[in-house]
Amino acid sequence: MKKFFLLLIPLFLSSINAQEKPKLVVGIVVDQMKMEYLYRFSEDFSENGFKRLMKDGYTFHNTHYNYMPTYTGPGHASIYTGTTPSVHGIVGNTWFNKSIGKEMYCTDDDKVATLGEGTDYEGKMSPKNLLSTTITDELKLATNFKGNVIGISLKDRGAILPAGHFADWAFWYSKTGAFVSSTYYGEKLPDWVTQFNNEKNYEKYLNKEWSLFKPKEIYNESLNDNNPYEGKLYKKTPFFPYNMKDMYANNDAGVLRSTPFGNNLLGDFAMKVIEKEDLGKDNITDFLTVSFSSTDYVGHLLGPRSIELQDTYLRLDQTIADFLNYLDKNIGKNNYLVFLTADHAGAENVTYLKDNKYNVDQINSKKFIHDLETFSKEKYGENLLLNYSNSNIFFNKEIIEASNLEMEEVKNSFKEFIYKQSFIRSVYTDSEILSNSGNDIYLNAIAKGFDPIQNGELIILEKPGYLEYGATGTTHGSPYTYDTHVPLLFYGWKIKPGASYNKKEITQIAPTVALKLKITLPSGTEAKVLEEILE
């Protein structure tokens, strides 16, 4: 009998160990979310969405991106790899890559094809350009590929990069209204996805108007409706209510992305993924990555002070509340771990700042390029500029070599000229970036976002508040706090309520989750962790 109990001990311990891990991890990214929105809209949120995560979970109030450029692709990659573009290789959304001499997209892969009712290009996507492993990859390895990993988003990059190299599936929204994937993940879509698409669930959101979610007086944290800092939503005057049917009829189902209902549809799909893929149904941890993109589309078009953006967040708050209730019911309150953050924040509209006496301005990119080319022709007799994009300046090395010019001399002469532009704060050569000491915080941010194989010979940094954007809406990309300061909330399994105001970096998320799950760290991470939520 004693021998029998001794034989049972390993099984008993194995059972305990299995229960010491969450059944499901859910990583939520809200595209272009400023930490400030959690404060500004707080009184108008329900008790069961963002407030529940903050009250019953752990809030890091001072979390920042530690590199430039602060874009969507690099942001998602950095959250899940625990490192920066200089290591994981995703140096933009779309960028000119000097090693191949042409523009590339972060998830481009011409060796795969679209699965589902999307266009040919929409599915030619994979994580092949991502150089580091992700926390989701490490979970697959730790479970001998038994743990399920699925990524979903309205954007391909928001689904693919978080899910990593070993994901079971990544699904993203097509302008046809269907969720699609690529042959990187399988030969055909799961039957349940095809059924979901055939039900045309997007139509229930497109066949109604976009009116305010709450009474109009609630929206006193925003500027007036149809203010001069808002752009037009599919040629519609920015004024409630919006005729969704009309926008859809004159475009395609992609219009859903630029309304809060894109997030609603993704929330519906997230719950369907959990149900149909049996996520969180056993003691082997699964991972679902969810990226809500409509906030970014609305922010770009209509700006951070628009009623439309506030309405989008109030509706997203309800979507998150519904999703948490679903997790409670189907996974169990103590069986899942959630973190919520953003891939970047966003700047104030430049015209709005100017009108309130801040001495800033829009930057005319076309004029800047023309000025660079004119300078080059006047000084060297020909145009040495190969490409300017994403704050990178690339030179035509073939012309420089054929003209017997020294590259360092060319870089320094252009640098001197660029410093004469009123909007420039700093200009750095690739040599200065690679020899970065860390003392210049902005140079350090640029170095963490710089890949010498792909990036340019010069990187420019504009002064705070200046944007290469139009007069309405907003954008992001800088190393300034208005682009780097994002929310970071942890909730659920083994998370005690609390808050920290110490500065944290976005790259601390992945190694923290890895140590919490007791699995291998992602390959590129610096392994700095959030000790406050580790036991």
Side-chain angles (χ1 to χ4, degrees):
M1 180 67 73
K2 183 178 180 180
K3 187 179 292 186
F4 174 74
F5 281 113
L6 287 173
L7 289 172
L8 286 179
I9 288 174
L11 295 175
F12 176 72
L13 291 176
S14 174
S15 175
I16 291 177
N17 289 335
Q19 293 171 14
E20 287 184 347
K21 293 190 177 183
K23 292 178 179 292
L24 178 65
V25 179
V26 181
I28 299 174
V29 176
V30 182
D31 206 323
Q32 203 190 121
M33 185 175 186
K34 299 156 71 82
M35 182 67 195
E36 181 246 345
Y37 294 151
L38 288 178
Y39 309 142
R40 200 205 307 176
F41 304 143
S42 177
E43 291 185 5
D44 306 324
F45 287 144
S46 71
E47 295 298 320
N48 303 313
F50 289 117
K51 283 186 178 179
R52 175 180 172 184
L53 294 176
M54 296 180 76
K55 178 183 176 182
D56 299 333
Y58 201 98
T59 303
F60 292 95
H61 288 268
N62 196 18
T63 302
H64 291 264
Y65 277 86
N66 53 352
Y67 64 82
M68 170 184 159
T70 42
Y71 296 146
T72 297
H76 284 82
S78 297
I79 291 166
Y80 284 89
T81 62
T83 190
T84 62
S86 63
V87 177
H88 63 58
I90 304 299
V91 298
N93 294 330
T94 300
W95 66 93
F96 184 85
N97 183 334
K98 71 181 178 186
S99 69
I100 59 175
K102 64 180 181 179
E103 193 175 84
M104 64 179 287
Y105 179 65
C106 58
T107 53
D108 268 345
D109 188 348
D110 59 7
K111 294 183 179 179
V112 298
T114 303
L115 289 180
E117 296 178 8
T119 65
D120 288 344
Y121 176 72
E122 285 179 307
K124 286 185 175 294
M125 305 289 166
S126 85
K128 75 166 190 174
N129 299 319
L130 183 64
L131 303 181
S132 172
T133 62
T134 59
I135 182 61
T136 46
D137 287 329
E138 297 301 340
L139 179 65
K140 293 294 288 188
L141 292 170
T143 61
N144 292 319
F145 288 79
K146 295 177 182 176
N148 290 330
V149 170
I150 296 175
I152 64 171
S153 178
L154 298 182
K155 296 181 179 179
D156 46 55
R157 55 189 181 271
I160 293 168
L161 296 171
H165 303 86
F166 306 138
D168 296 275
W169 284 102
F171 303 108
W172 53 96
Y173 186 68
S174 165
K175 61 185 180 181
T176 64
F179 280 93
V180 299
S181 189
S182 88
T183 51
Y184 178 87
Y185 302 99
E187 295 182 358
K188 72 181 190 71
L189 287 178
D191 291 342
W192 69 264
V193 177
T194 300
Q195 181 180 345
F196 185 91
N197 289 336
N198 289 341
E199 291 168 358
K200 298 187 183 302
N201 290 277
Y202 64 93
E203 288 188 343
K204 67 183 177 183
Y205 297 113
L206 289 173
N207 286 328
K208 63 180 182 180
E209 67 178 20
W210 177 12
S211 54
L212 291 175
F213 186 54
K214 294 191 174 185
K216 191 168 184 177
E217 58 269 20
I218 292 292
Y219 297 82
N220 57 357
E221 292 86 6
S222 301
L223 298 179
N224 292 333
D225 207 3
N226 192 20
N227 66 71
Y229 314 112
E230 299 178 283
K232 290 187 176 182
L233 186 62
Y234 291 96
K235 299 182 180 180
K236 298 295 179 183
T237 300
F239 194 82
F240 282 99
Y242 287 90
N243 187 327
M244 298 286 291
K245 279 186 177 181
D246 186 52
M247 285 195 295
Y248 177 34
N250 289 289
N251 297 279
D252 54 48
V255 301
L256 195 70
R257 296 186 180 105
S258 300
T259 74
F261 306 118
N263 290 337
N264 287 104
L265 181 65
L266 193 74
D268 298 340
F269 192 64
M271 290 184 278
K272 187 65 70 172
V273 170
I274 292 172
E275 175 194 348
K276 295 299 184 179
E277 294 292 331
D278 291 328
L279 301 186
K281 297 301 183 185
D282 56 31
N283 287 327
I284 300 174
T285 303
D286 299 321
F287 207 126
L288 176 65
T289 75
V290 183
S291 179
F292 291 106
S293 308
S294 290
T295 44
D296 184 66
Y297 288 103
V298 174
H300 275 297
L301 283 169
L302 298 156
R305 299 283 165 180
S306 65
I307 289 179
E308 287 85 352
L309 189 77
Q310 183 172 355
D311 194 68
T312 298
Y313 275 95
L314 297 187
R315 290 175 181 275
L316 178 59
D317 177 65
Q318 185 60 55
T319 297
I320 289 173
D322 293 342
F323 186 54
L324 292 175
N325 289 336
Y326 179 86
L327 292 174
D328 289 344
K329 181 179 179 181
N330 292 276
I331 309 299
K333 283 190 175 182
N334 298 315
N335 292 327
Y336 64 88
L337 171 66
V338 171
F339 67 82
L340 182 148
T341 189
D343 55 347
H344 51 76
E348 292 285 356
N349 174 267
V350 178
T351 309
Y352 176 61
L353 297 179
K354 285 174 62 179
D355 287 349
N356 286 279
K357 301 182 181 180
Y358 187 3
N359 185 25
V360 293
D361 208 345
Q362 286 95 17
I363 300 168
N364 187 325
S365 297
K366 290 183 178 179
K367 181 181 183 305
F368 181 49
I369 293 171
H370 177 266
D371 290 346
L372 289 173
E373 292 175 344
T374 300
F375 164 76
S376 181
K377 290 173 184 176
E378 289 177 353
K379 184 171 181 64
Y380 296 107
E382 51 191 326
N383 180 21
L384 303 182
L385 187 70
L386 179 62
N387 181 272
Y388 171 72
S389 55
N390 295 350
S391 300
N392 281 244
I393 292 174
F394 300 83
F395 294 113
N396 193 319
K397 293 183 179 180
E398 291 184 3
I399 295 178
I400 290 172
E401 290 173 1
S403 302
N404 293 318
L405 296 171
E406 291 292 332
M407 176 62 81
E408 288 302 314
E409 191 277 329
V410 170
K411 288 189 289 187
N412 287 328
S413 67
F414 269 83
K415 180 177 177 179
E416 184 179 343
F417 171 76
I418 293 168
Y419 265 118
K420 296 176 182 178
Q421 311 304 307
S422 61
F423 56 85
I424 292 294
R425 183 199 180 277
S426 301
V427 187
Y428 301 103
T429 68
D430 50 2
S431 303
E432 290 170 326
I433 294 168
L434 293 174
S435 61
N436 164 50
S437 67
N439 293 326
D440 179 338
I441 60 171
Y442 297 119
L443 175 54
N444 193 43
I446 288 170
K448 287 181 176 293
F450 185 83
D451 179 354
I453 297 174
Q454 302 185 90
N455 284 106
E457 284 77 42
L458 294 178
I459 304 284
I460 70 166
L461 176 61
E462 296 141 1
K463 291 176 181 176
Y466 284 79
L467 298 181
E468 292 188 48
Y469 207 65
T472 58
T474 193
T475 192
H476 47 84
S478 82
Y480 299 120
T481 54
Y482 51 74
D483 284 338
T484 67
H485 190 196
V486 295
L488 178 55
L489 315 175
F490 278 84
Y491 173 86
W493 176 81
K494 291 193 175 183
I495 298 294
K496 297 177 181 178
S500 169
Y501 290 87
N502 294 326
K503 185 178 180 181
K504 305 296 181 182
E505 296 179 341
I506 206 74
T507 48
Q508 293 178 271
I509 296 173
T512 299
V513 174
L515 293 186
K516 206 159 179 62
L517 298 179
K518 294 180 170 60
I519 63 177
T520 302
L521 301 176
S523 59
T525 184
E526 293 180 16
K528 294 179 181 178
V529 297
L530 304 164
E531 294 184 17
E532 293 88 339
I533 60 169
L534 292 172
E535 295 178 351

